[in-house]
Amino acid sequence: MKIKMPENVSRIIGTLTEHGYEAYAVGGCVRDSIIHNTPNDWDITTSALPAQVKALFRRTIDTGIKHGTVTIMIGNEGYEVTTYRIDGEYEDGRHPKQVEFTSSLEEDLRRRDFTINAMACNDEGIVDLFGGREDIDNRIIRCVGEAVERFSEDALRMLRAVRFSAQLGYTIEEGTAAAITALAPTISKVSKERIHMELGKLLLSDNPDYISKIHTLGLGQYIFPVYEALKDKDLAGRLLKALPKDIAFRYAGAMYDAGDGAVRKMLKELKLDNLTIKRSADIIKLHDLGVCILKIPTSDAYERMVRAIASQHGVDEFKDALAFDKVFYTVCGDNERCELVKHELEILDIILKRGDALKIGDLAISGDRLIEMGMESGKQIGDVLKMLLDDVIANPEHNNAQYLEMKAREAAAKV
């Protein structure tokens, strides 16, 4: 099999080989090309030393010169070129204390994490010294060499094994899985940002239910304790498979029976961005909220309740929660509640299209107008506007300036 490389990658490799050096595309780009996925990026490895690489190309950046990496710029694109190397001792479970450059491609590939990531290619073909193509054929995640040694070098590799398993739908080889179980506590030394990067990719994969492997392999208690506390992980798995590929929804699905406070705390620990934290926590906070209107007898009262919830918690937040609940009750097989949620979504859509007031800014009267009417800025105006909003949420037809001015005067007279 010959892999078709991008023109600029072939050009870089060609320039290096023309000057007497070895050079290959390496790692994930080779794996992805073999399984007919489009690589996200193309890394290049070479026998040339960093200074020798820099001498051959006009525009370079010393992105990781200490570890042998130079970025070659062609137009606006950057391509990382790294000298063959042997890693020294990993003192912090992530970075080698020192690296040693080598002229041997085999030694460079030997230090990599999994066989499927330890292949190289150039125009002469694929170099596969550790059985990566066979493991692809057998759909297996296997460490290069001794699994315990690979995971001792970088504990995050244990979670990466689960992530690759989920992304590719592969099984983790028995010896590799056993090493993860034995070394699971060591993942505690890995930064939360790196943990989230892998968890996020896992949850956004086609097999987010593979998150169950962090439990069976013993990793969950150290990196995702809220998931560990789930009463029904099988339900969580089915829910995750059915939810849209949205990280806020997927994290909410992985913690569906936790309180919103626990969700917020967990995601803060994982260093997620504030918007994702809020969205996930709000989904859990509002989960099941709409069910409280199941027994409301009249359509007017039903609409009032939907308006009130949307006004209190936010339209986007309520829509997210209803979308989540729709999937949740479908997965649970609760047809009655599923139909209720569908109806709530329809009612909310009608309310939004009709333009009913749901927040103070939607009112036909403003705080400036209340000041013109003689009210004092501050708490009084805030209280009056809140009273007017409550009125129009209950009676949308009241949202006209004449009526609201009358109600505002009545309220001011009572103060």
Side-chain angles (χ1 to χ4, degrees), residues 1 13-14 67 79 87 110 158 221 366 394 404:
M1 177 181 181
I13 290 174
H67 294 97
Y79 301 87
D87 292 341
R110 189 185 303 279
M158 296 185 287
Q221 60 185 308
S366 68
L404 294 179

Side-chain angles (χ1 to χ4, degrees), residues 30 56 137 199 202 222 231 270-271 348 370 383 399:
V30 181
L56 295 178
D137 290 341
L199 272 180
L202 190 167
Y222 304 106
K231 298 181 180 68
L270 289 173
K271 310 297 185 183
L348 182 58
L370 296 183
D383 290 344
N399 192 27

Side-chain angles (χ1 to χ4, degrees), residues 282-300:
D282 283 345
I283 287 170
I284 296 303
K285 179 180 179 180
L286 303 182
H287 174 47
D288 264 351
L289 182 63
V291 176
C292 69
I293 64 178
L294 185 63
K295 304 296 184 182
I296 292 178
T298 67
S299 59
D300 286 346

Side-chain angles (χ1 to χ4, degrees), residues 252-272:
M255 298 181 280
Y256 75 89
D257 70 354
D260 62 291
V263 171
R264 196 179 305 275
K265 182 175 183 292
M266 182 74 259
L267 298 187
K268 280 185 177 179
E269 287 181 6
L270 289 173
K271 310 297 185 183
L272 268 76

Side-chain angles (χ1 to χ4, degrees), residues 57-207:
F57 297 92
R58 185 170 62 87
R59 295 171 59 212
T60 64
I61 301 171
D62 294 353
T63 46
I65 199 77
K66 178 181 176 182
H67 294 97
T69 300
V70 173
T71 296
I72 296 171
M73 298 299 300
I74 300 179
N76 293 324
E77 296 293 323
Y79 301 87
E80 288 193 353
V81 178
T82 303
T83 302
Y84 299 161
R85 74 188 201 200
I86 302 171
D87 292 341
E89 182 182 356
Y90 284 73
E91 289 188 331
D92 62 357
R94 178 183 178 186
H95 297 110
K97 184 177 179 181
Q98 72 280 327
V99 300
E100 177 186 340
F101 298 137
T102 176
S103 60
S104 169
L105 174 63
E106 179 177 357
E107 290 300 321
D108 182 83
L109 297 178
R110 189 185 303 279
R111 69 182 174 80
R112 296 175 184 267
D113 52 7
F114 307 113
T115 60
I116 61 172
N117 296 333
M119 294 179 286
C121 74
N122 59 18
D123 288 339
E124 296 181 5
I126 297 173
V127 177
D128 177 17
L129 303 178
F130 300 100
R133 294 188 69 177
E134 182 179 357
D135 284 344
I136 286 175
D137 290 341
N138 292 325
R139 302 176 67 81
I140 287 173
I141 305 296
R142 182 198 309 271
C143 281
V144 175
E146 292 295 326
V148 169
E149 186 175 347
R150 296 289 80 77
F151 295 142
S152 296
E153 291 166 349
D154 184 350
L156 186 68
R157 287 172 170 172
M158 296 185 287
L159 184 54
R160 281 170 58 83
V162 180
R163 188 258 288 183
F164 280 120
S165 176
Q167 287 183 320
L168 301 173
Y170 288 9
T171 300
I172 300 175
E173 179 265 335
E174 184 178 344
T176 301
I180 294 174
T181 301
L183 295 175
T186 65
I187 203 167
S188 299
K189 68 178 72 173
V190 178
S191 73
K192 297 299 185 182
E193 292 91 343
R194 297 183 78 212
I195 295 292
H196 159 61
M197 289 295 292
E198 297 299 326
L199 272 180
K201 291 175 182 178
L202 190 167
L203 288 171
L204 291 176
S205 73
D206 289 336
N207 299 292

